[in-house]
Every structure is written in structure tokens, then in C-alpha cells.
Amino acid sequence: MNQTARRIGRSLALVLPVVLVLSGTLAVSSVPWAGQRSETQLLTAAAENVAAPAAARTEQRRAPQDLLLDRLVGEMERTDPGVALTHLQRAVEDSPSLAPHCMSIARDLGAAAVRVYGPTRAQSFSRPVCDTSFAGGVAAAS
């Protein structure tokens, strides 16, 4: 009887987080996070603070997902990973062309968060944005 209870407890311990993450992903994806922002605004924001014109031309040739990742990593370093994840969600909602890159961006944010905050603190910011790829990046970098 005692072993059966342990087996049930272990099964719940494995299944319950998966159910919570999936339901959280669905909830987050259905919430309108902010007003509409165009991809041009995201690119402009990412290209700000470029000192030399040559550097600006180089930035313009980079892919939008790379510019977004750079902007989010900088934002994460200035504030925290939670803010960067919120802005990633907004960017994907505002520009669906970024959706295929969402998981890799979130994973890279997780790895960067480990470098800045350490594995334990970085994991505390994890939430279901882009199928919990942030948590995967934290785990891979730890």
C-alpha cells in the first residue's frame, strides 16, 4: 500500500508540472499583452544607440530575429529576464514572422540569464513563453 502511494505521488509529481506548463502556455498565448507594435518599431528600437554609420548599416543587414535577441539580452541585463520574456511574447504576437524563431530566442535568453544571474536565480524567472524554451536554455547552460 505504501509503495502504491509513492508510485502515485511520483506520477503526479511528473505529470502535474507538464499539465500546468501546457495550460499556462495556452493562457499566455491568449492574453493580449500590449498594444500593437510593428516590426519596423522593433527594428528601430534594436538599432538605437549605434554610434557609427557603418555599424548601423551592419545592423540593418542582420535578420530581425537576431536584432530582437540582441535587444532582449540587453534589456534582460538592464532589468530582469521576466521583462525580456514579456517583450519576446509581445514581439511574436505583433510580428508573426518571428514565431518560428521564438523557441531559439527564448533558449538563448535562458542561457544568457544563467551567465548574468546564475542558474538558480535564472530559473526563477522561467515561464511558459515559446513552449518553456527559456527553461531549456537555463538547463542547458547550467
Side-chain angles (χ1 to χ4, degrees):
M1 180 82 170
N2 199 10
Q3 288 180 348
T4 305
R6 280 193 187 141
R7 198 171 306 138
I8 291 171
R10 286 182 186 158
S11 297
L12 284 174
L14 292 173
V15 173
L16 189 58
V18 173
V19 171
L20 291 173
V21 166
L22 291 176
S23 63
T25 301
L26 294 174
V28 168
S29 66
S30 66
V31 173
W33 287 95
Q36 297 296 322
R37 288 182 90 184
S38 69
E39 187 172 342
T40 306
Q41 288 174 320
L42 291 175
L43 293 175
T44 303
E48 288 177 2
N49 301 327
V50 177
R57 283 193 300 275
T58 302
E59 287 292 312
Q60 290 172 353
R61 285 187 286 225
R62 294 181 62 209
Q65 65 270 15
D66 296 334
L67 294 172
L68 177 62
L69 175 62
D70 290 347
R71 183 175 63 84
L72 293 174
V73 167
E75 185 173 55
M76 177 199 64
E77 291 171 349
R78 286 188 309 277
T79 57
D80 66 62
V83 172
L85 285 170
T86 298
H87 290 158
L88 172 60
Q89 183 71 35
R90 287 179 185 163
V92 171
E93 288 173 358
D94 292 343
S95 181
S97 64
L98 291 171
H101 308 285
C102 187
M103 291 175 67
S104 64
I105 292 171
R107 194 173 317 120
D108 291 344
L109 276 174
V114 169
R115 288 190 298 275
V116 175
Y117 296 97
T120 303
R121 184 147 183 245
Q123 188 63 39
S124 71
F125 291 101
S126 184
R127 60 176 197 234
V129 175
C130 304
D131 289 335
T132 67
S133 295
F134 178 85
V138 170
S142 297

